[in-house]
Amino acid sequence: MKYWRTPLDLDQVKVPHGDVYVVAERCKGCGFCVEYCPKDVLALSEAFNRKGYHPPEVVRHGECVNCNLCEMICPDFAIFSMPSDAPADVVAKEKASHDAKEATVVS
């Protein structure tokens, strides 16, 4: 976004960044996350999941602003984002939680 003037607090504002994680086997390929992402971070992949759908993939790494819109709009809870500065153990725990939910849904 281009401004005609520089905001007064430009040096004080820190833009949050996040990492997007997709649980591909849970996705049904509706494309809501791709369509509503404000930074166009996601695109539907060419690969298929077990259900035969094209899950989204991250195409612009480092551009996510961690708005969580993809997470809120996903009807299948197949996508989530975490702050980029989140500790690795928190991210691993969140991924394991989603994998455990997937295992209970599939079984």
Side-chain angles (χ1 to χ4, degrees), residues 55-104:
E57 65 181 351
V58 179
V59 292
R60 295 176 64 191
H61 296 278
E63 294 289 321
C64 176
V65 293
N66 202 30
C67 67
N68 293 331
L69 191 56
C70 57
E71 190 172 340
M72 289 185 272
I73 204 163
C74 182
D76 298 315
F77 306 104
I79 191 168
F80 65 98
S81 64
M82 299 283 292
S84 291
D85 57 353
D89 59 335
V90 173
V91 173
K93 188 169 108 176
E94 187 71 23
K95 288 172 90 174
S97 168
H98 280 275
D99 291 343
K101 288 177 188 173
E102 179 65 24
T104 57

Side-chain angles (χ1 to χ4, degrees), residues 14-52:
K14 182 181 180 231
V15 177
H17 288 284
D19 297 317
V20 180
Y21 300 96
V22 178
V23 183
E25 298 306 320
R26 191 179 289 180
C27 179
K28 67 179 177 189
C30 66
F32 288 156
C33 56
V34 174
E35 192 67 32
Y36 289 101
C37 179
K39 292 292 193 174
D40 295 325
V41 172
L42 301 166
L44 290 178
S45 69
E46 296 296 319
F48 292 99
N49 63 8
R50 279 188 289 175
K51 298 175 187 175

